[in-house]
Amino acid sequence: MMPELYIVGGIEGLQAYSTKVVTDALSAALKRRGVKLTVLVRRPARVPRSTWLRWLTEAWQRYVRYPRWCRARIPAGAWVYVTDHANAACLLWLKRGCRGCVHVHDLASLRRPWTMPYPMAPHQLFIWLLSMLFKKPGLLRARHLVAISRFTRDELVRYLGIAEHRIAVARNGVDAALFYPEPRVPARAALHYASSCFVVLTVGHGALRKNYRVVVEALALLKERIAALRWVHVGDLGDKCQARAAALHLHFELLPSLHVTALRRHYSAADVLVAPSWYEGFGLTPLEALACGAAVVASAIPAHREVLRSQARYFPPDNPQALADVLSQIAQGTAGKEHSRRARAAFARRYSWDRTAHKICQLIEASEDTGVTVKGAQHGRFP
């Protein structure tokens, strides 16, 4: 029998987009399975605008305030599911007898910064040190770790030395009730896109590992080939990337984070979504784009190839010319045809949050029955 579950959902305003998506979607899927649960999400009174003040505030909230707040609300002996490994430190504060699972997205903050496939920024060393002090001990305290891809599982084994039998693979999903293809012509008309316009969409925050600089360089090459070229970015692009785009006289539309309804319309209206990251543990936004029928061009990194498979076209993340060539081929090809849109959406629907919730329930129920970690729990039928 599935026990009552406490969902540690994070801190609004200081968390990644994926944290909220996983918390909301997984909570809904678990409820559909009849699991009794309590979702713990904290809302700080104020989030500073200054970058360094924001980092300090995030560290204080994530490693001290939020864990204490959760401890006061979670009884002794409870099962706890942390939906983002960034909050794994909460497991260090729990009362006697509590058992925890952690949803591990990637090791971006847990790998030594100088081992990452992109240049190290000074603040990354600060984040890594905090992660070693708080996140890693929380991960080691967990009864189960749930990796969102085989790639992330292998990284946990390789870089943190965690035994493979402690890690289950349960991939993220996409909510088909929220992400589906809207009729293309009305969607483009609503966003004032001309029928002849080739729309390139990017979605995400401006962190260095997201690699939007390669998009800037590629589109600067592409604008000579495609007259009606439009670049739309949802989220923060970063000051350096914007400055480079301005220096190359590249026009782009910068939008803030959007409600899911508006985001679905942008996915449906775009000719292609580009996911250029140097490093990912899964790749949630390209999967959402596929669910809305958009063509996807992704960097040729392991997580993208594992999740997107043949539904995306790939390019080396350090090669803007290769990206420009792929986009040019799509602009001249059949990316917008209706049968292609339906096939992409059908593929994305294979990634179901209900399947993820089922896997997690199996993991916890088996552990309840035996009182031990289930070896081989990472094996399961996922897309």
Side-chain angles (χ1 to χ4, degrees):
M1 180 178 178
M2 184 69 187
E4 181 177 358
L5 197 58
Y6 286 80
I7 303 290
V8 172
I11 311 161
E12 287 193 357
L14 292 173
Q15 299 282 31
Y17 168 75
S18 57
T19 307
K20 179 172 174 53
V21 171
V22 171
T23 300
D24 293 348
L26 199 52
S27 298
L30 289 166
K31 285 180 180 178
R32 286 194 292 271
R33 293 187 59 82
V35 178
K36 183 179 180 182
L37 53 85
T38 300
V39 181
L40 300 173
V41 176
R42 182 172 172 82
R43 298 171 178 82
R46 180 174 172 272
V47 177
R49 291 178 178 270
S50 164
T51 302
W52 276 102
L53 280 178
R54 181 184 173 90
W55 288 335
L56 292 172
T57 300
E58 182 175 345
W60 170 250
Q61 289 282 348
R62 179 172 285 168
Y63 303 128
V64 181
R65 289 292 302 276
Y66 184 55
R68 292 178 60 186
W69 185 82
C70 289
R71 175 185 170 86
R73 289 156 177 80
I74 299 174
W79 269 99
V80 178
Y81 195 90
V82 181
T83 59
D84 187 344
H85 63 280
N87 298 309
C90 290
L91 298 184
L92 304 174
W93 293 71
L94 296 179
K95 296 169 184 162
R96 181 182 293 273
C98 286
R99 292 154 293 177
C101 300
V102 181
H103 203 84
V104 185
H105 296 240
D106 56 52
L107 267 69
S109 62
L110 289 158
R111 277 179 56 174
R112 296 178 180 89
W114 53 90
T115 70
M116 300 303 288
Y118 49 86
M120 183 181 74
H123 72 276
Q124 288 176 291
L125 188 59
F126 170 69
I127 292 172
W128 174 69
L129 289 171
L130 286 176
S131 298
M132 290 296 100
L133 287 171
F134 296 101
K135 293 180 191 176
K136 183 178 179 180
L139 292 175
L140 297 177
R141 179 72 61 87
R143 176 70 64 87
H144 300 292
L145 299 179
V146 178
I148 61 175
S149 61
R150 290 190 299 272
F151 170 74
T152 295
R153 177 198 62 196
D154 294 345
E155 291 236 307
L156 284 166
V157 174
R158 177 180 179 184
Y159 292 104
L160 297 187
I162 295 173
E164 187 173 328
H165 73 261
R166 293 189 55 221
I167 309 167
V169 175
R171 293 190 177 95
N172 287 337
V174 62
D175 191 337
L178 300 176
F179 295 101
Y180 53 84
E182 291 189 7
R184 179 177 171 79
V185 173
R188 289 175 70 91
L191 296 173
H192 308 291
Y193 297 162
S195 58
S196 60
C197 186
F198 183 69
V199 180
V200 176
L201 179 67
T202 49
V203 178
H205 59 82
L208 184 62
R209 70 183 177 98
K210 294 297 183 179
N211 195 30
Y212 294 120
R213 178 70 174 264
V214 75
V215 180
V216 172
E217 303 294 340
L219 294 184
L221 297 171
L222 195 62
K223 69 179 182 178
E224 305 301 327
R225 308 184 210 175
I226 303 176
L229 177 64
R230 184 165 182 170
W231 178 25
V232 179
H233 180 78
V234 178
D236 175 30
L237 196 54
D239 293 339
K240 290 183 178 180
C241 200
Q242 290 187 57
R244 179 59 178 164
L248 293 172
H249 306 289
L250 186 65
H251 299 290
F252 60 92
E253 183 179 354
L254 191 60
L255 302 174
S257 297
L258 298 175
H259 184 270
V260 65
T261 303
L263 184 57
R264 180 179 65 236
R265 176 159 294 172
H266 278 81
Y267 282 143
S268 299
D271 289 287
V272 60
L273 174 109
V274 178
S277 298
W278 284 105
Y279 178 87
E280 292 286 351
F282 184 81
L284 194 57
T285 53
L287 191 63
E288 291 174 349
L290 289 176
C292 296
V296 170
V297 175
S299 53
I301 59 175
H304 281 162
R305 289 192 177 276
E306 178 184 340
V307 174
L308 305 174
R309 300 190 181 184
S310 62
Q311 296 300 314
R313 301 184 68 173
Y314 298 97
F315 71 98
D318 60 348
N319 192 332
Q321 183 64 62
L323 175 56
D325 291 343
V326 172
L327 291 174
S328 180
Q329 291 166 14
I330 290 175
Q332 299 167 17
T334 59
K337 287 194 173 180
E338 193 59 33
H339 70 85
S340 300
R341 286 164 56 82
R342 288 196 299 267
R344 289 190 282 263
F347 170 84
R349 286 195 297 271
R350 296 170 60 190
Y351 289 86
S352 162
W353 286 112
D354 287 317
R355 184 176 292 181
T356 308
H358 175 68
K359 182 73 173 181
I360 291 167
C361 287
Q362 281 187 322
L363 198 67
I364 294 174
E365 287 170 348
S367 189
E368 276 280 279
D369 292 341
T370 63
V372 297
T373 301
V374 183
K375 291 189 178 182
Q378 70 272 16
H379 302 297
R381 293 187 61 81
F382 278 81

